[in-house]
Amino acid sequence: MNTAMPRAERVSGMDAWQLYQETGLQVGNGMSLILVDRSSVIGNLRDYVVSALDNRMHLMPAYRKVLYDPWFNLDRPMLVARPQIDVSAHVTALPMPAPGGAVGAAKALAAVRAMHLDRREPLWHMYVLEDDDPGYAYLISVVHHLLVDGDSAIEVTGCLMTPGDLSTRPAKAVPESATFPARPAAIARDAAARKARRLRRLPRLVATSARVLRGKWAARHLDVKAPRTALNW
């Protein structure tokens, strides 16, 4: 049994905004539609996807991170990487909407796009769409922007698409320097330190804002027009 203290990492301001801007109608998920060569997969496609993901999960710490924002947290939310997750709970087989093919997959994509991810679990999900066509199938990958940015998304995609058995590769862990123990005292200290740093930057921010406002006021009389081009006669 692993009794080590879980470690938390504070999300960035931009990542926190991806959470704050969510409403009943607005989601912060990134999505991709993947065309699969069904002829290369023997047996149930969903089971194959679960097995492939489980085989690579130790290489993708982003897919094991869960949102952590306890009531005593006084700063931005945190992420905590679980040692293991139930991959099967993150993969769902969907019926293909009529008329099937790319049009049916687009309809399924639109329906999934409106769905919120469960914040109590790692913020990703995979949907499997099978058609009457024995040659091809579709996957819909949903990942919250909180978990991946451009670089990490490319890294995760590369890991998912690498063929073969990856279970023997060394596990990839979250750098310890970017985390702290996920206990109340450590969380409070980190929040206090971050707020203190922001307060120290406040005078410089006020000075910069005042300089920008003075510049705008000084240029208020200027009549600036866009140059004439082939696009704005």
Side-chain angles (χ1 to χ4, degrees):
M1 178 182 295
N2 185 6
T3 59
M5 168 64 67
R7 298 187 68 83
E9 57 178 313
R10 191 78 65 176
V11 304
S12 68
M14 180 60 71
D15 288 339
W17 176 81
Q18 298 287 356
L19 283 175
Y20 300 153
Q21 57 90 29
E22 285 193 321
T23 66
L25 298 177
Q26 174 70 32
V27 296
N29 307 332
M31 303 182 64
S32 58
L33 181 63
I34 305 166
L35 181 63
V36 178
D37 180 4
R38 184 67 176 86
S39 63
S40 64
V41 179
I42 300 175
N44 185 278
L45 180 58
R46 179 189 175 277
D47 292 344
Y48 179 87
V49 171
V50 170
S51 177
L53 286 169
D54 199 38
N55 185 263
R56 293 157 171 75
M57 199 54 58
H58 63 294
L59 302 174
M60 303 185 297
Y63 273 41
R64 292 185 281 110
K65 294 177 182 178
V66 64
L67 184 65
Y68 185 51
D69 192 17
W71 65 268
F72 53 82
N73 178 35
L74 300 178
D75 203 79
R76 294 191 294 265
M78 297 160 287
L79 293 171
V80 175
R82 291 178 176 173
Q84 293 182 340
I85 67 167
D86 180 7
V87 175
S88 181
H90 289 262
V91 182
T92 301
L94 291 179
M96 174 66 81
V103 175
K107 289 182 178 180
L109 185 72
V112 170
R113 182 69 181 90
M115 298 168 60
H116 287 75
L117 292 165
D118 185 353
R119 291 191 178 188
R120 298 168 297 181
E121 299 295 331
L123 295 171
W124 66 274
H125 207 93
M126 189 83 74
Y127 296 89
V128 179
L129 286 166
E130 294 205 70
D131 205 350
D132 293 334
D133 185 347
Y136 295 99
Y138 297 87
L139 300 179
I140 299 175
S141 174
V142 185
V143 186
H144 200 284
H145 288 295
L146 182 70
L147 295 186
V148 295
D149 54 18
D151 292 338
S152 57
I154 293 173
E155 182 179 9
V156 167
T157 301
C159 183
L160 289 174
M161 299 303 170
T162 300
D165 182 7
L166 306 186
S167 61
T168 58
R169 290 193 180 183
K172 183 174 181 180
V174 179
E176 192 165 308
S177 59
T179 65
F180 51 89
R183 54 173 178 259
I187 292 172
R189 281 197 301 270
D190 179 78
R194 289 173 180 273
K195 291 187 180 299
R197 287 197 294 270
R198 292 175 194 140
L199 286 174
R200 288 195 294 269
R201 292 198 297 264
L202 184 59
R204 185 172 57 185
L205 177 61
V206 171
T208 300
S209 299
R211 184 169 64 251
V212 171
L213 289 175
R214 287 196 298 269
K216 287 186 175 181
W217 179 256
R220 67 188 185 281
H221 62 282
L222 298 178
D223 185 17
V224 180
K225 294 182 179 180
R228 178 170 292 182
T229 68
L231 301 177
N232 63 337
W233 288 96

